[in-house]
Amino acid sequence: MLDEAEPVIRTDPVMAELIERHDPYVEPDWNEFERLCISIINQQLSTASATAVRERVFELLRDEVTPETVLEAEDEALRAAGLSESKVEYIRNAAQAFRENDYTRAGLDDYSNDEVMDLLTEIKGVGEWTARMYLLFVLQREDVLPLGDLAIRRAIEDLYGDGDDMSRAEMREIAERWRPYRSAATRYLWAEYESD
């Protein structure tokens, strides 16, 4: 995807500079269910806090993060690992959903981005941000712009607005030049944000 995307997003001079300065942000190769749990854990937490909680939860589950292990884990143990009561409920909801439906890459291959968003947000605890992370990282869709992500908004404001507040409409307008590869541009924005 990145090879095809680069010539398109390079037409934006700011993005061309980012491509020269950074490698695109890449995540470890988590499976579909692990990645959904990670997105739920990450909700409304700083990167450092989210990483610490994720590591404790994965350790508790002995790095076997499956619907079965999540459903079998004690609530108290999950809370002791750093999950709030609501997040315990949310990852259990995700586990139950994965047992009942096919949310794998193959299972969702024929669904549009909007259809995937609708399916995922039916799971209590999975909101738009989490669903967009799933589209971007798990399904590796090429044209996802997660403006619900604070890091992406900050990076756009710093790079295109001299650090001034910008509306989401203004950000979408800037991102139009990256179509149909807004996911690749997003990875460079994360790389820039994380380099500060």
Side-chain angles (χ1 to χ4, degrees), residues 27 31 40 69 153 161 172 176:
E27 288 198 322
N31 69 37
I40 291 169
T69 60
R153 291 197 311 274
R172 279 189 204 92
E176 278 302 307

Side-chain angles (χ1 to χ4, degrees), residues 26-129:
V26 177
E27 288 198 322
D29 193 23
W30 288 304
N31 69 37
E32 293 96 334
F33 181 68
E34 287 172 331
R35 187 58 182 87
L36 186 58
C37 288
I38 289 164
S39 288
I40 291 169
I41 291 167
N42 290 355
Q43 291 169 4
Q44 300 175 331
L45 289 179
S46 70
T47 303
S49 297
T51 300
V53 172
R54 173 182 49 80
E55 287 172 354
R56 289 195 303 267
V57 170
F58 276 45
E59 188 179 319
L60 170 71
L61 301 175
R62 298 195 170 108
D63 287 322
E64 290 291 324
V65 182
T66 65
E68 290 69 34
T69 60
V70 165
L71 291 169
E72 288 166 9
E74 298 287 332
D75 283 9
E76 202 173 298
L78 290 167
R79 283 199 302 276
L83 292 179
S84 65
E85 205 167 311
S86 57
K87 286 191 182 178
V88 170
E89 179 193 349
Y90 297 163
I91 69 164
R92 289 194 190 287
N93 292 345
Q96 199 58 50
F98 261 74
R99 286 176 103 176
E100 294 169 3
N101 299 293
D102 186 357
Y103 293 103
T104 63
R105 289 177 187 100
L108 295 175
D109 201 38
D110 293 333
Y111 289 79
S112 71
N113 287 0
D114 288 341
E115 288 169 334
V116 171
M117 293 280 293
D118 289 344
L119 275 175
L120 289 173
T121 55
E122 284 175 9
I123 304 167
K124 187 180 177 195
V126 176
E128 279 195 24
W129 177 83

Side-chain angles (χ1 to χ4, degrees), residues 122-138:
E122 284 175 9
I123 304 167
K124 187 180 177 195
V126 176
E128 279 195 24
W129 177 83
T130 303
R132 284 189 204 290
M133 294 300 105
Y134 201 83
L135 281 168
L136 209 151
F137 291 113
V138 174

